[in-house]
Amino acid sequence: MIMMHKRIIAALAMTWLLAACAPANQVDYDPLESVNREIFAFNQVLDGYIFEPLARGYRYIVPEIGRAAVGNVLRTLVEPVNFVNATLQADPAGALTAFSRFVVNASLGVGGLYDFAGNHFDIQYQPEDFGQTLAVWGVESGAYIVIPILGPSNLRDGFGRIADTFTDPLNVVGIFGSSDTIDTLSIIRSGVSALAAREKLLDPIDVINETSLDPYATFRSAYGQQREALVENRNTDNLF
Amino acid sequence: MFFIRTIFIFLALATVVVAPAHSSPAKVEKYVGGLVQDTIDVIESPRTDEQKLELLASSFRNTMDIPWVGRFVLGKHWRAASDAQKQAYIKYYDGFLTNIYSARFTEYTGQQVDITDTKSIGSGEYQTKVTLSSENIAPLAIQYKLRTNGSSFKVFDIIVEEVSLITTQRAEFSSIVERKGLNRLIQLLKKKAEQPVVIKR
């Protein structure tokens, strides 16, 4: 437990240090570009052989209404994380949105399958993660990084992803009573999330690959713009 | 005092009378609505694909402020470029951008089109949202930024899911020029501009 705390503190300190080294203009700050490009190229190959075909298969087999239901369940499962982060950002409206959506969609939405809150009460999904919370607290994004398999991120958001695992309902339940069932559900949820996310990105990524003269730079810029929009709570479907 | 007050009232009234003749969100919405309808008319007309692409390309060139966008996305490298490089760059950037968007327009398949949220963003510039929607498919919202151009307008940015065309391309082109030089960028644009446009169905 103490080792875990030391690791978290070290990661936090590193994040702040690297963020502090970033120039005032954060956009496209990429001191690790040569390494990132190698990882990006690796991810492109992996995507071409595995993730893209799986996503196309998913789109072909499951009709839009089914995919929407899967997406709704995944979003409902993330609402507790949204609630915690909106609270940490001192955003009572955002916290209420996440809480309301969770309660309404879990019940009236039949376990989250239908977005009752969005379609009938116009309470729209508002993603909040710890990376955004750190941004609201004044932490700069730091260096752009490309994570193997997972794709674009930055130091702040990468740390945020780790922190969010502590508020994820399945992980919280797992802390109090780990079981094979919880572990299996967690793996299934991760797999389905990745598949659903990749399917949503099929068309935009096709466009980028066909039209961009430097897909690496395009993804980097698009990621930065989307994250900025999320921090400012501008509505976005969060391509990343 | 009476004279000054009269002048002031006259000027205030003149502003009220004159204002509607200037650009306004309503005029922008009417302009965009007209463009959308013209585009749909071309797509749904009984013309060959090549004829449709030619008309859509011509419409795109008239609507988009390509010279301004081209200079903007090249950023500081525009000032450092020679006249010959500038000429070649704008020529191939025009072809590159026109080809991308002409092909995209042909993907329209009868979706409902709504134009909303039109507003002024200052200094003769406006923003509007065009949403394409159909049953069982998530709606696609595209924001356009336009500026006044005489009695009409020109588009200078296209934004989808908060990702701006001019911001993204500026980052992309900067990356290429800094790593490989402006001539390489011009070569890549030329290659894309000369590729035949593929219509997807």
Side-chain angles (χ1 to χ4, degrees), chain A residues 28 33 37 64 207 209-214 217-218 220-222 225-226 229 234-239, chain B residues 96 100 104 136-138 160-164 167-168 171-173 175-176 179 185 188-189 192 195 200:
Chain A
D28 301 341
E33 183 170 345
R37 281 189 180 267
E64 165 64 24
V207 170
N209 286 333
E210 284 164 22
T211 62
S212 173
L213 304 179
D214 184 352
T218 302
R220 182 179 61 195
S221 178
Q225 290 177 65
Q226 281 243 309
R234 277 182 271 136
N235 283 339
T236 171
D237 211 18
N238 190 19
L239 293 179
Chain B
F96 161 73
I100 293 174
R104 292 271 87 77
N136 298 328
I137 295 176
V160 179
E161 299 295 353
E162 301 294 337
V163 178
S164 146
T167 302
T168 310
E172 191 185 324
F173 287 15
S175 174
I176 295 169
R179 290 182 312 118
L185 172 65
L188 291 170
L189 287 169
K192 288 280 187 185
Q195 261 173 8
K200 292 186 180 182

Side-chain angles (χ1 to χ4, degrees), chain A:
Chain A
M1 195 63 140
I2 292 171
M3 278 306 296
M4 177 72 92
H5 285 160
K6 280 187 179 174
R7 281 181 192 157
I8 291 169
I9 291 166
L12 195 56
M14 184 62 76
T15 303
W16 253 279
L17 183 65
L18 282 163
C21 295
N25 178 6
Q26 282 289 307
V27 175
D28 301 341
Y29 174 55
D30 193 4
L32 305 170
E33 183 170 345
S34 55
V35 173
N36 282 335
R37 281 189 180 267
E38 295 292 325
I39 299 172
F40 177 78
F42 167 76
N43 285 349
Q44 291 280 78
V45 171
L46 207 65
D47 185 64
Y49 281 112
I50 301 174
F51 302 121
E52 190 202 331
L54 281 175
R56 290 203 190 277
Y58 173 59
R59 178 180 278 189
Y60 182 75
I61 293 166
V62 180
E64 165 64 24
I65 193 169
R67 299 198 307 271
V70 168
N72 290 336
V73 169
L74 291 171
R75 283 182 164 184
T76 303
L77 288 174
V78 167
E79 293 292 4
V81 177
N82 295 338
F83 173 78
V84 167
N85 283 297
T87 305
L88 288 171
Q89 291 170 34
D91 177 10
L96 185 60
T97 293
F99 180 80
S100 308
R101 283 183 54 84
F102 181 77
V103 169
V104 170
N105 287 344
S107 54
L108 299 175
V110 189
L113 284 168
Y114 178 64
D115 184 7
F116 202 99
N119 290 325
H120 296 275
F121 299 139
D122 199 25
I123 308 172
Q124 300 303 328
Y125 183 70
Q126 187 178 311
E128 299 290 353
D129 54 58
F130 198 66
Q132 292 180 61
T133 299
L134 287 172
V136 169
W137 287 354
V139 179
E140 299 284 358
S141 57
Y144 175 73
I145 52 174
V146 179
I147 303 173
I149 301 173
L150 296 178
S153 186
N154 55 52
L155 283 177
R156 179 192 65 204
D157 295 343
F159 176 78
R161 273 186 209 237
I162 299 170
D164 280 328
T165 59
F166 290 97
T167 54
D168 183 290
L170 270 181
N171 292 339
V172 170
V173 168
I175 288 170
F176 290 104
S178 185
S179 73
D180 289 342
T181 308
I182 298 290
D183 290 343
T184 305
L185 279 174
S186 193
I187 292 169
I188 292 171
R189 198 266 307 267
S190 297
V192 172
S193 280
L195 187 63
R198 185 60 184 91
E199 186 274 328
K200 216 169 62 161
L201 286 169
L202 278 172
D203 299 327
I205 289 181
D206 279 350
V207 170
I208 290 172
N209 286 333
E210 284 164 22
T211 62
S212 173
L213 304 179
D214 184 352
Y216 171 85
T218 302
F219 275 105
R220 182 179 61 195
S221 178
Y223 176 79
Q225 290 177 65
Q226 281 243 309
R227 288 300 294 175
E228 200 177 296
L230 283 172
V231 169
E232 294 170 8
N233 286 339
R234 277 182 271 136
N235 283 339
T236 171
D237 211 18
N238 190 19
L239 293 179
F240 298 96

Side-chain angles (χ1 to χ4, degrees), chain B residues 11 13 32 41 46 62 82 90 112 115 133 138 151-152 159 174 176 186:
Chain B
L11 284 171
L13 282 170
V32 173
D41 287 344
N62 287 336
S82 68
I90 290 292
Q112 184 182 321
I115 302 166
S133 51
S151 60
S152 184
I159 302 162
S174 179
I176 295 169
I186 293 170

